[in-house]
Amino acid sequence: MGDFDFISALNSFNEKYLPKILIFLLVFVVGSLIVKLLLKLIRKIIDKSKIERTVITFFFSILKIVLYLIVVMTALSTIGVNVSSIITTFAAAAITAGLEFGIFTILLSKV
């Protein structure tokens, strides 16, 4: 009788969550492929410019993080997760970092 409960619980889990997990994985994999292709395209375009390597590396690090965050947020919203609070938290962190950088720059210019 204990095995029957486990099997019915497993079937219930499969019916309820397995489609959402598969949709999440599908959206994430397709999004990741699009991000990789987009980064390759942008890299080819920027490599032709005369921008310093350190600036390009920094730009690509930020761009890669932002694009993958967009992919994850899209995948989560596709399966029904409310991502508005997560996006708000990221926005607040970005504003805080920007203000810190601005204040730091102002303080350094005064010295």
Side-chain angles (χ1 to χ4, degrees):
M1 182 146 200
D3 290 336
F4 181 73
D5 291 337
F6 174 74
I7 292 172
S8 65
L10 187 61
N11 284 337
S12 174
F13 175 82
N14 286 342
E15 289 174 4
K16 189 173 184 181
Y17 295 110
L18 193 60
K20 289 184 178 186
I21 292 170
L22 292 175
I23 290 171
F24 174 84
L25 290 174
L26 179 68
V27 171
F28 183 77
V29 168
V30 170
S32 296
L33 291 173
I34 291 171
V35 166
K36 285 181 184 180
L37 291 174
L38 190 63
L39 287 174
K40 278 185 182 180
L41 178 68
I42 294 172
R43 169 83 62 188
K44 285 181 182 179
I45 293 170
I46 289 185
D47 280 344
K48 294 177 183 177
S49 68
K50 297 183 181 189
I51 302 174
E52 286 186 40
R53 285 282 170 212
T54 55
V55 174
I56 292 173
T57 304
F58 176 74
F59 172 73
F60 268 89
S61 298
I62 299 294
L63 184 63
K64 189 175 183 180
I65 291 170
V66 168
L67 289 175
Y68 276 110
L69 280 174
I70 291 171
V71 168
V72 170
M73 293 300 141
T74 303
L76 286 173
S77 68
T78 302
I79 62 171
V81 175
N82 186 2
V83 295
S84 61
S85 61
I86 299 171
I87 292 171
T88 304
T89 303
F90 283 132
I95 290 170
T96 303
L99 287 173
E100 279 183 27
F101 181 73
I103 291 171
F104 185 70
T105 304
I106 290 170
L107 290 176
L108 280 180
S109 67
K110 299 287 182 184
V111 174

